[in-house]
Amino acid sequence: VERQSNRRANGRAESLRQFVLQPLGRVAQHRVDFDDLTPLFQRIIDDVRAPKGDPEGAFQLLVSTLDFSSFLGRIAIGRIERGRVKVGDSVVLLPMGEPGLVGEEPGIERGRVTKLYTFDGLHRVEVEEASAGDIVALFGIDCASGDTFTSDKIRWAMTSMYVPPPVIHLTVKPKDKKAQANMGKALQRFTKEDPTFHARVDEESGETVISGM
């Protein structure tokens, strides 16, 4: 097992060495200093294309994940695919579904951006405005992973993330009525945060069954 682990580690190191030292695809016989990742970062800057997006188009963002703040409520995190958004803007929330233009249909909600953050490493940085290509956190609007935020001018739902069927199923039972109320709130929150998580009540046993990855 140890030999296999070492071979895999050496293979990854060799792949990284070739990526950094082979801009033309030729093997470069040089030693890589893995304490200095500057060449790797420079290759990324030189070769990886900037994100595509029209900052002047209608605002569009796909919610990829959620967070929660006890002071500010639910936090929607995703990448702006098109347009701009500012604090105070009114936005439309389109639930997960088929991509394309959406009219005035049930399930459409409107909200206002109360706070807006971008990311610097693992830290959130509060900003007044963000544009296409930025990964942002929107505060003040209740939503679920896979939903689309758009402007009210052009309500265009984006292609939602692929959600594989659950492979793990577990029966849970609260100890008392108080625990049952808390469990209901927790399951509702988990369902919104993770599209792979499902909860249902078995018709025969009456027990709660949770499913996921």
Side-chain angles (χ1 to χ4, degrees), residues 39-179:
L40 173 61
F41 295 145
Q42 189 60 50
R43 283 295 309 278
I44 294 174
I45 293 174
D46 294 340
D47 296 349
V48 177
R49 296 179 180 179
K52 296 180 180 179
D54 179 12
E56 304 306 324
F59 172 63
Q60 192 179 50
L61 177 146
L62 180 67
V63 179
S64 58
T65 187
L66 297 176
D67 201 351
F68 184 81
S69 166
S70 56
F71 298 101
L72 299 171
R74 195 172 301 280
I75 306 169
I77 301 174
R79 178 177 175 270
I80 301 177
E81 299 293 334
R82 184 169 57 204
R84 303 174 184 273
V85 64
K86 296 184 294 185
V87 174
D89 280 355
S90 295
V91 294
V92 174
L93 176 63
L94 306 178
M96 184 186 301
E98 294 296 324
L101 193 61
V102 179
E104 289 292 342
E105 300 178 3
I108 293 179
E109 300 180 15
R110 289 173 172 81
R112 189 175 298 276
V113 179
T114 58
K115 282 185 177 294
L116 180 64
Y117 286 75
T118 56
F119 292 87
D120 181 9
L122 299 178
H123 303 285
R124 295 194 189 112
V125 179
E126 187 170 5
V127 296
E128 291 295 319
E129 182 179 1
S131 61
D134 290 335
I135 297 175
V136 299
L138 302 177
F139 289 71
I141 304 173
D142 190 22
C143 62
S145 295
D147 290 348
T148 300
F149 281 109
T150 71
S151 69
D152 201 13
K153 296 179 181 178
I154 303 178
R155 295 186 293 272
W156 190 279
M158 299 179 62
T159 302
S160 299
M161 64 189 79
Y162 169 70
V163 180
V167 296
I168 298 175
H169 307 275
L170 181 67
T171 300
V172 294
K173 184 178 180 181
K175 293 193 296 185
D176 49 41
K177 290 185 177 180
K178 182 179 180 181

Side-chain angles (χ1 to χ4, degrees), residues 165-212:
V167 296
I168 298 175
H169 307 275
L170 181 67
T171 300
V172 294
K173 184 178 180 181
K175 293 193 296 185
D176 49 41
K177 290 185 177 180
K178 182 179 180 181
Q180 184 175 8
N182 292 334
M183 186 181 76
K185 294 178 182 178
L187 293 179
Q188 185 179 20
R189 175 178 171 182
F190 294 155
T191 302
K192 284 196 170 187
E193 292 179 353
D194 184 358
T196 67
F197 181 87
H198 303 273
R200 63 180 178 86
V201 177
D202 186 86
E203 295 181 357
E204 296 183 359
S205 65
E207 295 177 318
T208 300
V209 180
I210 59 175
S211 307

